[in-house]
Each structure stands twice: as C-alpha cells, then as structure tokens.
Amino acid sequence: MQVDVRKHCVIGALMALLCSFAVAQEPLPSGPMPLDAIVQALQKAQAATHPHASYQVIREYRLFGAKDSKSDSEVVAEINFRPPAFRDYTIQRSSGSSRGPQLVRRILDHEVKATSKDSKASSAISSDNYDFSYIGEAMLDGKPCYVLALKPKRSDNNLISGQAWVDKNSFLIRQIQGEVEKTPSWWLKAVRIKLVFADLDGIWVQKSMEATADVRMVGSHTLTSRLLDYRREHEVAATSFSISAIGKR
C-alpha cells in the first residue's frame, strides 16, 4: 500500500511560516521576564523582521519508511526567495523511490502558496492561534532560550501542540517541536515534527527539519531536511557554506 503524499503537505506550511525572518536584535532583559512580555516580544520580532534582499537555499530531503525500504529516497532542491513574498524552487536531483520527489514538490508548492499574508496569520506562533505557558529556560546550541508550551486554540492541521524555544536575545524561534494538532486524514494517526532555525548572515532560515507520520496499516514514515548551502544576492554561484559552519550559527 502506498502513502498518499498529499497527506504530508501540512509540513510545508509550518516550514514556510518561520524560514524567512531576518534577525532583529533586542536588548537582553535583566531578570526573569513575564510570560506576556515574552509573547509580545516574540510577535513583535516576527512581524517586524523581513528580508530585504533575495537569497537562495539548497536543501537535502530524505524520506524513509520503518517497514518498507522501497519508499526510501533522497532529493536536493533549490529554493529562491525574492522579497516581499515571491518564492520558487527547482528540484536539482533525486534518487530512490519516486515518492520522495512527489512529496517534496507538494511541500514546496505549499510553501509558495503559504507566503501570502492570510496564510501566515492563520498559522503564526501568536496569541491569536495559541495559548502559551512558561516552562523555563534552556541552552540550545549554546544560545539561551525561553521554553514555552504551545496549546492551539482550535483544531487545525497547520498548528502544533508542543514546545517552542525562543531566543532570549532576538525573540525569534530557534526550535519548535511537537505534534500536528489535527491530522489531515484518517490514515495518519499522528504527525510529529521538529524544526530548527538559525541566523545566516542576518537572515533567519530553517536549518533542519524532521517530520514523522504514523500511517495506519503501513507504519512510520519519516521525512528529514537539512541545509546544504545558503547564498545571498550577488554572490557567486560556487560560494558554499560547510555544514559544520552552518551548525555553529
């Protein structure tokens, strides 16, 4: 039995929401911050930060199933962003099952559509969509973060029930992890997702992603992505960033 790749397109909306914020530096507060102040600063940072120059990222996607190696595949895609809200992509190469390219195309198609203002608002990490609670503070990749619990205010397959790691300096999200609040099909029992973000030359981009879907009668399938390359406007095409360098940002 094959997995209908349309059931996974929710991942694209979640990725598109957070992957193109520029970094806004805020003064680091002294002493504990009230939850309301953290949420307000988070919303302000997301609303105020948009890239003003075109950029390009290269992502590697991997799809694999727990029980069926025939679904395994690898895809490399080039994604281009041109402000204020234009995005396109090209599949550079793929190997393995045809499911991989099909799934990646649906995800990236959803990313392109999700750049609209209305789409971003309906899935934003904001008080319109979530109830927040304070969990504590933690270090993530050497950066101090506030850890907030996310409880969606409605059943929606673009919202996540889980946790967010908010950078204490920029108030942008460094990591979000949890379960999709509403699965888009009876075939999917649960969809768990983890998104990691980083600052690359002043642009807040998605560094990696892992999404696992429990599919009835088929088993678990996992899709991962990682950032292979990042280029700003006017950079020479041969310019590349090593994965180790990206991981330190």
Side-chain angles (χ1 to χ4, degrees), residues 77-198:
E78 170 190 303
I79 302 97
N80 298 287
F81 180 83
R82 299 177 183 88
F86 179 76
R87 187 189 302 265
D88 62 11
Y89 69 89
T90 301
I91 302 296
Q92 290 189 337
R93 62 180 183 272
S94 63
S95 62
S97 168
S98 62
R99 293 179 184 175
Q102 291 172 353
L103 175 55
V104 171
R105 287 184 186 278
R106 291 183 181 276
I107 288 172
L108 293 176
D109 284 343
H110 204 136
E111 281 195 33
V112 171
K113 294 178 181 178
T115 54
S116 70
K117 183 177 180 180
D118 290 342
S119 294
K120 287 183 178 180
S122 65
S123 55
I125 308 299
S126 69
S127 55
D128 289 336
N129 299 320
Y130 289 94
D131 289 320
F132 296 88
S133 58
Y134 182 79
I135 295 177
E137 299 183 13
M139 298 294 292
L140 186 65
D141 293 332
K143 305 293 184 179
C145 297
Y146 297 112
V147 184
L148 305 182
L150 306 177
K151 182 180 179 181
K153 289 185 173 181
R154 63 185 183 277
S155 181
D156 190 316
N157 56 22
N158 285 326
L159 301 180
I160 295 177
S161 177
Q163 298 177 1
W165 283 253
V166 180
D167 190 290
K168 289 183 67 175
N169 188 38
S170 68
F171 290 98
L172 290 173
I173 294 177
R174 285 197 167 270
Q175 181 171 295
I176 183 169
Q177 184 171 345
E179 286 196 5
V180 174
E181 178 66 11
K182 178 184 178 182
T183 58
S185 168
W186 177 86
W187 286 102
L188 298 180
K189 293 188 289 185
V191 179
R192 296 176 295 278
I193 191 165
K194 177 182 177 181
L195 300 170
V196 179
F197 305 89

Side-chain angles (χ1 to χ4, degrees), residues 7-97:
K7 307 305 186 292
H8 298 272
C9 69
V10 62
I11 301 169
L14 297 171
M15 294 191 295
L17 166 66
L18 299 169
C19 69
S20 60
F21 295 135
V23 179
Q25 295 297 323
E26 297 275 350
L28 192 64
S30 57
M33 247 185 120
L35 174 61
D36 287 347
I38 297 173
V39 173
Q40 290 175 10
L42 164 63
Q43 294 178 147
K44 180 180 177 181
Q46 291 182 116
T49 55
H50 300 282
H52 299 290
S54 300
Y55 67 92
Q56 177 190 87
V57 296
I58 309 296
R59 292 185 197 149
E60 177 192 65
Y61 294 86
R62 295 186 61 206
L63 174 67
F64 49 93
K67 298 181 179 179
D68 184 6
S69 61
K70 292 181 181 180
S71 67
D72 294 0
S73 60
E74 295 185 10
V75 180
V76 175
E78 170 190 303
I79 302 97
N80 298 287
F81 180 83
R82 299 177 183 88
F86 179 76
R87 187 189 302 265
D88 62 11
Y89 69 89
T90 301
I91 302 296
Q92 290 189 337
R93 62 180 183 272
S94 63
S95 62
S97 168

